[in-house]
Structure formats: C-alpha cells, structure tokens
Amino acid sequence: MNTENMNQNADPAAGQGTGERTFSQEQVNAIVQKRLAEDREKASKELGEREQELARREFRLNSRQKLIDRGYPESIMDALNCSDEKSFDKALDIIDSLIKERTPSEAEKAEMEARMKAAASAPKFTDKSEGRPSGVDMIRQAMNL
C-alpha cells in the first residue's frame, strides 16, 4: 500500500499500533467535497419542495379570489378542478354557462310575474257554501232545467 495514504503514527503517545488512519489532503478534500455536494443537494431539494408548496398556496388564494369576484361561495372550491389555472378557469366557465342557461331571461321573468298576479287576483273557491235545500239539484238549477 501507499505509505502516504496509510501512515501509522510513529509517536507511541499518539496511538501507535491502534490502527488509526491518516488521510492525505486530497482525500480530505474529496470527502469534504462529497459531503458539501450532498448537503447542497438536500438543501436544493428542500427549497424546491418549499417553492412548490408556496406556489400551490398562491394558486389556491388566487382561485379563491376568482370565486369571490364572480360571486360564488368559497365552499365550492373543493368541488372544482384545481389542478392548474387553465382547468380551474374552465370549471368556472362551465358553472357560469350553466347558471346563465338556467336563469330566466327578463321576458320570462315578466311572464312569470304576470301569471302570479293573475293567479292572485283570480276568484278563490272555498267550501263556505250554504246548505242545500233537500230535493233541489244544484246542477239542474244552474242549467235552468
């Protein structure tokens, strides 16, 4: 073996014969570089995860604001596709079109109001009629028979 790489301490007080290993400067540098690279990779991975989480939170806040701006309750947020902005906007557009389709137009609203007014002013038939005299047929009497 290379004596530079595997030197034993010659000093008996320093642990001669205990198998202590000494490293060359190149080996120490390589070990330190390896550990630094691992630490940088770990830190980079953690930073990437934090950035992704921050982006998800920001997207969720923006989506919630879009719901509020369009007049929808926040509770429907969980029912919509929130995987990305394009999908979310498409889901909102579908909801808008469904509501628009099912909301009556002004002419339909006016017609419904007219029907309600007519129904309110129509005579009410109640069961407050007078007792019928016996032997009188109301239908014959109405037909003048």
Side-chain angles (χ1 to χ4, degrees):
M1 283 197 150
N2 189 348
T3 57
E4 183 180 275
N5 292 338
M6 295 289 292
N7 282 334
Q8 296 289 333
N9 274 334
D11 185 11
Q16 182 177 357
T18 61
E20 289 185 12
R21 181 174 174 192
T22 58
F23 296 94
S24 68
Q25 187 64 41
E26 292 172 3
Q27 290 173 323
V28 171
N29 288 345
I31 292 169
V32 170
Q33 290 298 326
K34 181 181 174 188
R35 288 187 182 168
L36 285 174
E38 289 171 355
D39 287 344
R40 284 185 192 130
E41 183 178 329
K42 183 179 175 183
S44 175
K45 184 178 177 182
E46 289 174 359
L47 181 62
E49 290 172 356
R50 287 181 185 171
E51 287 176 350
Q52 288 177 348
E53 180 61 27
L54 183 62
R56 280 192 293 269
R57 286 182 181 180
E58 183 179 6
F59 173 70
R60 190 153 177 87
L61 286 173
N62 289 340
S63 299
R64 181 174 285 130
Q65 188 60 44
K66 283 182 183 180
L67 282 174
I68 292 169
D69 290 346
R70 290 192 184 191
Y72 298 123
E74 293 178 32
S75 59
I76 67 169
M77 182 85 164
D78 295 328
L80 299 177
N81 182 356
C82 297
S83 59
D84 61 9
E85 190 171 350
K86 185 176 180 181
S87 299
F88 184 76
D89 289 341
K90 183 177 179 182
L92 282 180
D93 291 341
I94 290 171
I95 290 174
D96 284 344
S97 66
L98 283 172
I99 289 175
K100 190 174 190 180
E101 176 183 304
R102 294 180 184 207
T103 302
S105 67
E106 292 301 320
E108 291 171 331
K109 285 180 184 178
E111 183 181 332
M112 284 192 298
E113 286 178 18
R115 284 183 188 172
M116 290 173 67
K117 285 180 183 177
S121 65
K124 304 283 189 255
F125 295 102
T126 61
D127 195 18
K128 295 182 180 178
S129 60
E130 298 176 12
R132 285 192 323 189
S134 62
V136 178
D137 188 2
M138 300 294 284
I139 295 175
R140 288 187 177 276
Q141 186 180 7
M143 300 289 191
N144 292 324
L145 297 176

mmCIF file of all heavy atoms in Angstrom, residues 11 21 41 51 88 101:
data_model
loop_
_atom_site.group_PDB
_atom_site.id
_atom_site.type_symbol
_atom_site.label_atom_id
_atom_site.label_comp_id
_atom_site.label_asym_id
_atom_site.label_seq_id
_atom_site.Cartn_x
_atom_site.Cartn_y
_atom_site.Cartn_z
ATOM 1 N N ASP A 11 4.499 8.190 16.771
ATOM 2 C CA ASP A 11 4.558 8.612 18.167
ATOM 3 C C ASP A 11 3.767 7.627 19.025
ATOM 4 O O ASP A 11 2.575 7.442 18.815
ATOM 5 C CB ASP A 11 3.981 10.022 18.275
ATOM 6 C CG ASP A 11 4.118 10.593 19.671
ATOM 7 O OD1 ASP A 11 4.836 9.997 20.484
ATOM 8 O OD2 ASP A 11 3.485 11.648 19.905
ATOM 9 N N ARG A 21 -5.919 5.818 11.110
ATOM 10 C CA ARG A 21 -5.602 6.061 9.716
ATOM 11 C C ARG A 21 -5.424 7.551 9.506
ATOM 12 O O ARG A 21 -6.211 8.347 10.002
ATOM 13 C CB ARG A 21 -6.763 5.556 8.863
ATOM 14 C CG ARG A 21 -6.541 5.718 7.399
ATOM 15 C CD ARG A 21 -7.657 5.075 6.636
ATOM 16 N NE ARG A 21 -7.479 5.380 5.232
ATOM 17 C CZ ARG A 21 -8.355 5.175 4.298
ATOM 18 N NH1 ARG A 21 -9.493 4.631 4.628
ATOM 19 N NH2 ARG A 21 -8.116 5.474 3.056
ATOM 20 N N GLU A 41 -27.364 19.322 -2.336
ATOM 21 C CA GLU A 41 -28.454 18.617 -2.996
ATOM 22 C C GLU A 41 -29.678 18.537 -2.078
ATOM 23 O O GLU A 41 -30.809 18.769 -2.512
ATOM 24 C CB GLU A 41 -28.007 17.208 -3.378
ATOM 25 C CG GLU A 41 -29.047 16.421 -4.145
ATOM 26 C CD GLU A 41 -28.539 15.042 -4.534
ATOM 27 O OE1 GLU A 41 -27.336 14.881 -4.764
ATOM 28 O OE2 GLU A 41 -29.385 14.132 -4.586
ATOM 29 N N GLU A 51 -40.821 25.807 -2.538
ATOM 30 C CA GLU A 51 -41.307 26.638 -3.638
ATOM 31 C C GLU A 51 -42.592 26.068 -4.219
ATOM 32 O O GLU A 51 -43.523 26.818 -4.529
ATOM 33 C CB GLU A 51 -40.245 26.762 -4.732
ATOM 34 C CG GLU A 51 -39.087 27.653 -4.360
ATOM 35 C CD GLU A 51 -38.002 27.694 -5.424
ATOM 36 O OE1 GLU A 51 -38.051 26.881 -6.376
ATOM 37 O OE2 GLU A 51 -37.102 28.530 -5.292
ATOM 38 N N PHE A 88 -59.028 25.203 -13.768
ATOM 39 C CA PHE A 88 -59.893 25.928 -12.841
ATOM 40 C C PHE A 88 -60.752 26.945 -13.582
ATOM 41 O O PHE A 88 -61.955 27.050 -13.351
ATOM 42 C CB PHE A 88 -59.051 26.610 -11.766
ATOM 43 C CG PHE A 88 -59.866 27.294 -10.722
ATOM 44 C CD1 PHE A 88 -60.512 26.572 -9.739
ATOM 45 C CD2 PHE A 88 -60.004 28.672 -10.723
ATOM 46 C CE1 PHE A 88 -61.285 27.206 -8.772
ATOM 47 C CE2 PHE A 88 -60.760 29.307 -9.766
ATOM 48 C CZ PHE A 88 -61.402 28.571 -8.782
ATOM 49 N N GLU A 101 -77.684 29.587 -18.404
ATOM 50 C CA GLU A 101 -78.666 28.782 -19.131
ATOM 51 C C GLU A 101 -79.940 28.574 -18.311
ATOM 52 O O GLU A 101 -81.030 28.564 -18.841
ATOM 53 C CB GLU A 101 -78.029 27.416 -19.462
ATOM 54 C CG GLU A 101 -78.930 26.421 -20.139
ATOM 55 C CD GLU A 101 -78.210 25.105 -20.335
ATOM 56 O OE1 GLU A 101 -77.137 25.108 -20.951
ATOM 57 O OE2 GLU A 101 -78.729 24.079 -19.861
#
